[in-house]
Amino acid sequence: CVVENSRDLAAIERTGEFRGTYHVLLGVMDPMAGVGHEDIKIRELVVRLQHEPIEEVIVCTGNNTEGDVTAAYISRILHPIGISVTRIASGLPVGSDLEFADDQHIRFMLPFELTVEVPTRTIALEGYADDAALQAAIAAAPVEVRRTTLRPA
């Protein structure tokens, strides 16, 4: 889990949900302020990952421009060495309502797609003596799983 600072590490630890290794960047990239990848601990992250059996890195940087730039850079440099990079989820806080969220936040949440597997049975609906015969045909039909990807319009 890659975090910006020790306060972020402590926040994740308080949940008791993450059971892995942390890497603290000691900042984020901020091109407008002249902070580049060489100014934070990204090189150390890459060196560390080359010596540890890590398959996935979760980037837990802030939900802002600097956090996005840093996460994108980390993803770009880790992909070629075969490490999967995911980003911490961003959504509405627990107990809040969508109607009170700002437009930018909602726009950020919408572009994601969801793939689901749907069990289906294909049968002819005609030619059965009664509903019991139809129900028996439905129960006997083989189940086929279809993969469907839901994407925003």
Side-chain angles (χ1 to χ4, degrees), residues 25-67:
L25 293 172
L26 299 178
V28 289
M29 294 170 59
D30 185 355
M32 298 298 286
V35 179
H37 63 87
E38 65 282 349
D39 299 311
I40 58 176
K41 301 294 183 186
I42 291 179
R43 185 176 59 78
E44 291 83 351
L45 172 65
V46 174
V47 169
R48 187 174 174 191
L49 292 173
Q50 290 172 341
H51 298 5
E52 294 181 23
I54 304 291
E55 296 176 8
E56 178 186 18
V57 168
I58 303 169
V59 179
C60 298
T61 53
N63 186 17
N64 52 37
T65 303
E66 295 82 9

Side-chain angles (χ1 to χ4, degrees), residues 92-109:
L92 295 175
V94 173
S96 65
D97 293 318
L98 190 59
E99 67 183 291
F100 301 114
D102 61 281
D103 294 348
Q104 183 178 2
H105 203 102
I106 294 171
R107 255 187 245 108
F108 179 77
M109 291 185 295

Side-chain angles (χ1 to χ4, degrees), residues 11-33:
I12 294 170
E13 275 295 293
R14 278 194 307 270
T15 70
E17 294 295 318
F18 181 69
R19 309 244 191 288
T21 304
Y22 291 94
H23 182 85
V24 180
L25 293 172
L26 299 178
V28 289
M29 294 170 59
D30 185 355
M32 298 298 286

